[in-house]
Amino acid sequence: MASIYGAYTELPLSFSIPLTLALVGLVAIAQNVIRQLYFPNPHRPPVVFHIFPFIGSTIQYGIDPFKFFFDCRAKYGDCFTFILVGRPVTAFLGPKGNELILNGKHSDLNAEDIYAKLTTPCFGKGVIYDCSNERFMDQKRLVKEGFRTEAMNVFVPKMVKEVEDYVRTSPRLSGQSGVCNVTEMMAEITIYTATSSLQGNEVRSKFDTSFATLYRHLDDGFQPINFIAPWLPLPRNRRRNKAQKIMEELYSNIIKSRRSNPEGPVNGEQDMMWNLMDAQYKDGTTIPDAHIARLMIALLMGGQHNSAAVGAWIILNLANKPHLIEELYQEQLAVLGSSPLTWKNLSQLTLNEYVIKETLRLHDPIHSILRKVTTPRPVPGTDWVVPETHTLLASPIILARSEEFFPQPMVWNPHRWGTAETLAKAGLGEKDDDMPKVNYGFGMVSKSVTSPYLPFSAGRHRCIGEQYAYAQLGAVIATMVRLLQWEQVDPKAPIPSTDYSSMFSRPMNPTTIRWRRRH
């Protein structure tokens, strides 16, 4: 033994250091494997087998989280723990998991510790996850008030006009026919419709120039690496920080200019900024202008990714089944005739609504909802306890992709939503008044999380923009159907696969369609 040690010490550093690191790595791997195989903790959920301690299941989860979830569910059941970049994450799938995680008490589980690292550098301090949960819920209440029916009546015509202008003037749709990139097109359309309806004329007028560049730089901050190290001096993070300061200043200047006008909104013009400028927190304090500016940034960023991704999936699925485009067009002729699209008659376009619902069921951009465990949580029906060192993960879309609730779940079939069976299984056949309600601070919401269809999540962090999202997607798709026809470049090609490399899943490029104008 001494001779081996002596020979080792005589090795040159260029050889001994790598050898030492390799030996340490092998010992760590051996300990990790032995612990999993022979010493599992009976009081914790089963751990997904992995060889490398720090890497764990990061690669499998990152490549295709749904395949990973379904494979693990088949082997371990609904509750299991996997290692994600050195951190233990306990996934709890199914209705019980949704109940535990989405309806969990804030004192037991919180989202701030997970998401603040990502959102605060983009939005700014004092809003969303950079404040107390009570204040965050109050901010949601104030923003939600801007989505009332009166506002939606104003928003929809603005959205329609934006799409009409885009189809008429965009270089992507020049001429009478052509080929275009769907993800790029929908990213532009959704941001234009959002700024026009929610942000106000001043912001929309600037978005073709300064705001567009700043938005892209802020958007670059929504990268998975920033969950772990948002402080890294990466070029994109430096651009993000600079863009946040400039955009906040731009919003602040608009607010200051509006406050200096004693006459208020011009021609009765209303948008979210006016609503927030006139609002107060529940404790009676006026919202600081800095908070309004930062909430406007959050409002701009928060839903755009989802709407752009879902809109792209809708266009791509319709291109794969172009006969549905004609069904949608005929529905408009029958329901609307020559009348313009409004918030009221949008709800009468049932197939248009089914298309959105089916796409949200199959292509929800958010596959994982995370909560930091702050109090050990027992797993119902087991002897397991999830400790404070773990992160809990829910994935409501897993049920939406399950044969148990939706026959042929991986087939995109909007007409399924016209059947009583689908509505019953999705829990959408119940009257809203019959469901238990709870008020987390932003109005009464359903407490039920048993539905396999939860594209806007549930609980205290339920998305407050659900109604707006349906209006935006509905107006965009209906207007495009009225103005354009489209199909796949290769009629026999499958739908593009999903890109999971960013925070919000989206179609994998290339996502091209062949389009032509109707008239």
Side-chain angles (χ1 to χ4, degrees), residues 262-293:
E263 297 181 1
V266 178
N267 297 324
E269 182 75 15
Q270 279 290 337
D271 52 49
M272 190 64 72
M273 189 182 295
W274 280 116
N275 290 335
L276 293 176
M277 287 170 60
D278 295 334
Q280 291 182 333
Y281 286 127
K282 282 184 176 179
D283 60 11
T285 59
T286 301
I287 307 178
D289 286 354
H291 283 193
I292 296 175

Side-chain angles (χ1 to χ4, degrees), residues 379-411:
V379 178
T382 73
D383 295 328
W384 302 333
V385 174
V386 182
E388 296 177 3
T389 53
H390 286 213
T391 297
L392 270 169
L393 180 153
S395 183
I397 194 176
I398 287 293
L399 296 180
R401 291 185 169 201
S402 299
E403 185 82 32
E404 176 185 358
F405 299 101
F406 297 97
Q408 295 182 294
M410 299 311 295
V411 175

Side-chain angles (χ1 to χ4, degrees), residues 44-304:
R44 301 276 173 82
V47 177
V48 177
F49 182 77
H50 57 283
I51 295 176
F52 301 102
F54 182 82
I55 297 174
S57 303
T58 303
I59 296 175
Q60 300 96 308
Y61 172 78
I63 292 175
D64 190 337
F66 290 119
K67 182 179 186 305
F68 175 72
F69 288 150
F70 277 109
D71 288 348
C72 290
R73 194 184 191 196
K75 186 173 183 179
Y76 303 103
D78 280 341
C79 190
F80 52 87
T81 296
F82 66 99
I83 304 302
L84 181 65
V85 197
R87 300 182 179 184
V89 176
T90 298
F92 194 2
L93 311 176
K96 291 182 179 179
N98 290 344
E99 174 65 34
L100 178 71
I101 298 170
L102 302 183
N103 274 343
K105 294 181 179 179
H106 183 256
S107 57
D108 298 329
L109 306 170
N110 78 65
E112 290 87 338
D113 290 351
I114 301 293
Y115 297 109
K117 297 175 184 177
L118 190 75
T119 59
T120 302
C122 292
F123 303 158
K125 292 186 174 296
V127 299
I128 314 301
Y129 292 115
D130 191 64
C131 59
S132 68
N133 186 258
E134 183 180 6
R135 177 52 57 87
F136 179 25
M137 296 299 106
D138 203 15
Q139 290 172 351
K140 291 180 69 171
R141 173 185 66 84
L142 297 174
V143 172
K144 186 179 179 182
E145 289 177 357
F147 293 133
R148 290 174 296 188
T149 301
E150 310 89 81
M152 302 305 292
N153 287 331
V154 175
F155 291 166
V156 170
K158 288 186 174 183
M159 295 171 183
V160 171
K161 184 178 184 304
E162 284 291 340
V163 180
E164 290 174 341
D165 291 347
Y166 186 92
V167 171
R168 187 179 69 255
T169 63
S170 173
R172 299 186 188 279
L173 299 172
S174 60
Q176 294 301 308
S177 63
V179 173
C180 72
N181 184 295
V182 172
T183 52
E184 294 174 357
M185 176 181 69
M186 291 307 298
E188 293 174 347
I189 289 177
T190 51
I191 201 65
Y192 292 154
T193 53
T195 51
S196 175
S197 57
L198 291 176
Q199 302 278 316
N201 294 331
E202 301 99 324
V203 177
R204 178 62 186 93
S205 65
K206 293 180 179 181
F207 214 90
D208 290 329
T209 53
S210 56
F211 265 59
T213 301
L214 293 171
Y215 173 83
R216 286 196 297 271
H217 290 169
L218 272 184
D219 193 37
D220 286 342
F222 280 88
Q223 298 296 325
I225 185 63
N226 285 337
F227 267 120
I228 302 169
W231 42 262
L232 284 176
L234 301 174
R236 64 170 52 140
N237 285 351
R238 287 196 292 268
R239 291 194 298 269
R240 172 203 64 193
N241 296 341
K242 182 179 179 180
Q244 194 283 326
K245 291 179 181 178
I246 296 174
M247 188 171 276
E248 181 179 327
E249 184 178 359
L250 288 169
Y251 275 113
S252 296
N253 289 338
I254 293 173
I255 295 169
K256 184 178 180 180
S257 174
R258 287 187 173 192
R259 289 200 187 281
S260 67
N261 180 7
E263 297 181 1
V266 178
N267 297 324
E269 182 75 15
Q270 279 290 337
D271 52 49
M272 190 64 72
M273 189 182 295
W274 280 116
N275 290 335
L276 293 176
M277 287 170 60
D278 295 334
Q280 291 182 333
Y281 286 127
K282 282 184 176 179
D283 60 11
T285 59
T286 301
I287 307 178
D289 286 354
H291 283 193
I292 296 175
R294 293 162 189 168
L295 284 171
M296 293 303 295
I297 295 173
L299 190 64
L300 177 67
M301 303 289 296
Q304 195 277 334

